[in-house]
Amino acid sequence: MNESLKTKLVEKNQFKFYLSSQQLELLPTDEEVSFYQEHGWFITKQKVIPDEIIDQAIIGSQKFYRGEIDAEIPYKTGYSDWKPGDGDAVRNNQHVSYRQKELKKLMLQPIIGAIAARLAGTTEIRLFEDTLVYKAPVTKENEGGVVGWHTDYSYSSNCTSKKMLSAWIPFHDLSLERSPLIVIDGSHKWSNTEHLRYFNSQNLQQIAQQFAQEGRKIVEVPMLLKKGQISFHHSYTIHGSYPNHSNLPRQAFALYLQDRDNHYQPYWNNGVEIHHFLESMCRKLPNGEPDFSDPDIFPVIWSK
């Protein structure tokens, strides 16, 4: 970007992170922000990530699965980290952008943070964590492949913010058969779902029936995306996915994003203090609590 355009953008929007004039047109309108607030999800109207960035991320994911990494998480437990031999129905590997530079490049695309900031109504977006996800096609030898209904906030209850949201970035076009993310429309407004943890449940209908018995209207919305499009959903939005019934693998990168005001809070469950695995990696505040703004672990994607 030339300096004159940067200067104009700074004067107009006070951006610290720069978007091209074409990218500015991709930001959600007021009507789209209102839609997100009402429904708990949003799909970009068109491609926002260039093919070459996604193609590099695909190469990076292949390297990662072969064990070729650029950095290591200093401990081995407390997070999802698929290894060869674990089965391919669903592969989940957390905080991969810390370990693989091509995926970090995708994660740091400013347009992702800029859209998230508009939706969340904040001036800064930081990464909280990410997950590289892969689903093999369902076969007799490879059954399963369901991701059960859950909310993202239920896995980060030591965060104070109620504005956190997730960006879901497929590496290819997603048809209904290829296991798109499914969100339950408007479920971010439901009560008592902030601790919904059925990620590993294979029976979506059974859990959904519980919602129906509580008088809640269940409207499943598949996030059908073209390569380069992104979907966003609120941290309280219930979501999951069905098996991959296509004949091709399904690959995506999920980013769980925090707003400027998010910080650490202690959380107990049945008398046991619950910790997030990244607490041990980030720097500490003067009071000894984890610093969820540590740029080495929680990099800023967008700031205004």
Side-chain angles (χ1 to χ4, degrees):
M1 179 183 299
N2 63 53
E3 290 300 317
S4 63
L5 179 54
K6 284 185 179 180
T7 300
K8 290 178 181 178
L9 290 178
V10 170
E11 290 175 348
K12 181 179 180 181
N13 297 298
Q14 300 175 347
F15 288 153
K16 295 179 181 178
F17 292 73
Y18 304 112
L19 300 179
S20 69
S21 57
Q22 291 82 5
Q23 288 176 316
L24 287 171
E25 297 299 321
L26 300 173
L27 296 180
T29 64
D30 290 344
E31 291 76 13
E32 288 169 332
V33 172
S34 295
F35 179 93
Y36 168 79
Q37 293 171 345
E38 178 66 22
H39 295 269
W41 59 272
F42 171 73
I43 296 176
T44 61
K45 295 186 295 294
Q46 54 190 294
K47 176 186 295 190
V48 297
I49 304 296
D51 284 352
E52 57 267 25
I53 298 296
I54 295 179
D55 292 342
Q56 289 177 27
I58 293 171
I59 293 171
S61 69
Q62 293 168 344
K63 290 180 180 178
F64 180 83
Y65 290 138
R66 294 196 298 265
E68 300 174 23
I69 59 175
D70 303 300
E72 289 191 9
I73 294 177
Y75 44 91
K76 302 298 182 183
T77 60
Y79 58 100
S80 296
D81 203 24
W82 174 92
K83 295 290 190 301
D86 290 346
D88 287 338
V90 180
R91 300 181 188 178
N92 281 303
N93 295 90
Q94 288 182 277
H95 222 57
V96 177
S97 66
Y98 181 82
R99 298 183 272 173
Q100 221 299 317
K101 61 184 180 183
E102 284 92 352
L103 287 158
K104 184 175 184 178
K105 184 174 182 179
L106 171 58
M107 179 270 294
L108 288 174
Q109 294 297 302
I111 186 63
I112 299 172
I115 294 173
R118 277 281 292 156
L119 295 174
T122 184
T123 57
E124 180 178 284
I125 290 290
R126 303 187 300 271
L127 178 70
F128 187 70
E129 67 177 65
D130 61 62
T131 306
L132 180 65
V133 292
Y134 173 105
K135 281 191 184 186
V138 173
T139 64
K140 290 183 179 179
E141 295 77 22
N142 182 38
E143 297 179 350
V146 169
V147 171
W149 298 123
H150 66 283
T151 62
D152 290 334
Y153 187 81
S154 66
Y155 296 96
S156 58
S157 300
N158 52 2
C159 289
T160 58
S161 175
K162 303 300 187 287
K163 292 184 176 182
M164 293 173 72
L165 69 168
S166 296
W168 208 79
I169 311 168
F171 289 172
H172 44 70
D173 293 355
L174 269 184
S175 64
L176 193 59
E177 294 75 23
R178 207 171 177 179
S179 188
L181 188 74
I182 305 288
V183 304
I184 297 183
D185 189 66
S187 57
H188 65 305
K189 294 186 173 183
W190 295 359
S191 60
N192 301 319
T193 62
E194 64 270 26
H195 303 303
L196 190 73
R197 301 183 184 90
Y198 291 106
F199 186 96
N200 294 314
S201 173
Q202 294 294 294
N203 194 330
L204 292 170
Q205 289 77 16
Q206 181 180 19
I207 304 304
Q209 186 60 33
Q210 294 181 20
F211 303 149
Q213 290 172 353
E214 295 167 358
R216 292 166 170 171
K217 184 178 180 180
I218 301 171
V219 179
E220 297 183 11
V221 183
M223 302 289 100
L224 303 180
L225 307 172
K226 296 292 185 181
K227 181 180 178 180
Q229 283 184 289
I230 304 178
S231 69
F232 293 82
H233 60 269
H234 192 280
S235 63
Y236 280 29
T237 297
I238 298 171
H239 59 287
S241 60
Y242 291 94
N244 178 8
H245 291 291
S246 76
N247 59 0
L248 296 168
R250 187 268 258 171
Q251 293 180 274
F253 200 37
L255 308 180
Y256 189 28
L257 306 172
Q258 51 177 323
D259 56 286
R260 179 184 292 277
D261 295 333
N262 181 58
H263 59 271
Y264 169 84
Q265 66 179 1
Y267 173 70
W268 284 266
N269 185 21
N270 294 323
V272 177
E273 187 171 7
I274 305 300
H275 295 281
H276 191 281
F277 75 98
L278 292 174
E279 291 179 33
S280 300
M281 289 181 63
C282 68
R283 68 191 180 192
K284 300 300 184 289
L285 296 167
N287 64 3
E289 293 183 343
D291 183 0
F292 284 174
S293 65
D294 179 351
D296 290 334
I297 307 302
F298 308 108
V300 176
I301 303 175
W302 180 258
S303 183
K304 180 179 176 180

